[in-house]
Amino acid sequence: MKNLILLLVSTFCFSQQSTIEKLIILDARDNDKNITEYYLPGGYIVFYYRTDGELSMATVVNKSRSQSYGRLSTKSKTTTVDKDGFRKDVHNYKWSYENSYNNKVGTASVRVEKVYKPQGVAFICKIVLENMDILMYSGYKDGTQSEEVSEMLN
């Protein structure tokens, strides 16, 4: 019953927003411990505008129908070129989040690096929680992978 309520709340919340981008998780770490199997298949990070215009983010685990979500603030962005000559964007945020699975609330620092390659946009997301635990995610930006990469993922 709890999962059904969570699914209904999640569906309502995400229907009340405008998605900016979706980052598909292929690797996940909690303080260097590999937790990828928890996120696969179907885990992702989504950036969106709420109907009130607030920029927000959620990490979503389809397998357990759980998520951490909340508003982003203190945004900064830098654009450089990486060592291989590809464009690299680095975004930094403060995140006020809530976990759907345990109702914990808190704040975290979020750093998202995106590298624009011919095969698609690769990302690394580092989240530093208040207790200094570090969550690391990597993967690709949804809809940007080349046909060759899409075939390998399917």
Side-chain angles (χ1 to χ4, degrees):
M1 182 65 167
K2 184 178 178 183
N3 281 343
L4 177 60
I5 292 169
L6 174 62
L7 180 62
L8 292 173
V9 169
S10 296
T11 302
F12 175 75
C13 289
F14 283 120
S15 68
Q16 300 296 312
Q17 48 111 35
S18 173
T19 300
I20 300 168
E21 72 180 354
K22 183 176 177 181
L23 304 175
I24 306 300
I25 297 170
L26 297 179
D27 185 76
R29 309 280 164 163
D30 183 350
N31 294 318
D32 291 327
K33 180 183 175 193
N34 188 339
I35 57 169
T36 303
E37 78 175 36
Y38 177 69
Y39 284 87
L40 298 181
Y44 61 92
I45 300 169
V46 64
F47 292 88
Y48 59 96
Y49 284 112
R50 295 165 32 110
T51 54
D52 62 7
E54 292 286 334
L55 179 62
S56 298
M57 179 182 96
T59 59
V60 179
V61 181
N62 277 339
K63 191 185 289 186
S64 64
R65 295 186 173 146
S66 63
Q67 61 181 309
S68 298
Y69 59 93
R71 292 185 170 139
L72 295 169
S73 60
T74 319
K75 180 184 176 193
S76 71
K77 176 186 172 187
T78 58
T79 300
T80 59
V81 176
D82 76 359
K83 63 181 175 42
D84 298 318
F86 298 114
R87 179 178 138 202
K88 179 180 177 179
D89 291 342
V90 178
H91 302 263
N92 291 291
Y93 307 95
K94 289 291 182 194
W95 187 34
S96 299
Y97 68 90
E98 180 177 348
N99 297 331
S100 67
Y101 50 91
N102 65 6
N103 296 320
K104 178 184 174 192
V105 297
T107 59
S109 296
V110 177
R111 177 184 178 95
V112 180
E113 298 180 14
K114 293 184 283 187
V115 178
Y116 296 78
K117 297 182 176 187
Q119 303 89 338
V121 179
F123 82 89
I124 297 173
C125 178
K126 179 179 183 179
I127 300 174
V128 181
L129 304 173
E130 292 171 318
N131 66 358
M132 302 307 289
D133 282 348
I134 298 173
L135 302 172
M136 294 284 291
Y137 304 100
S138 62
Y140 65 94
K141 182 177 173 181
D142 190 35
T144 65
Q145 70 276 15
S146 67
E147 189 173 310
E148 177 182 312
V149 173
S150 293
E151 287 174 13
M152 290 187 321
L153 294 171
N154 292 327

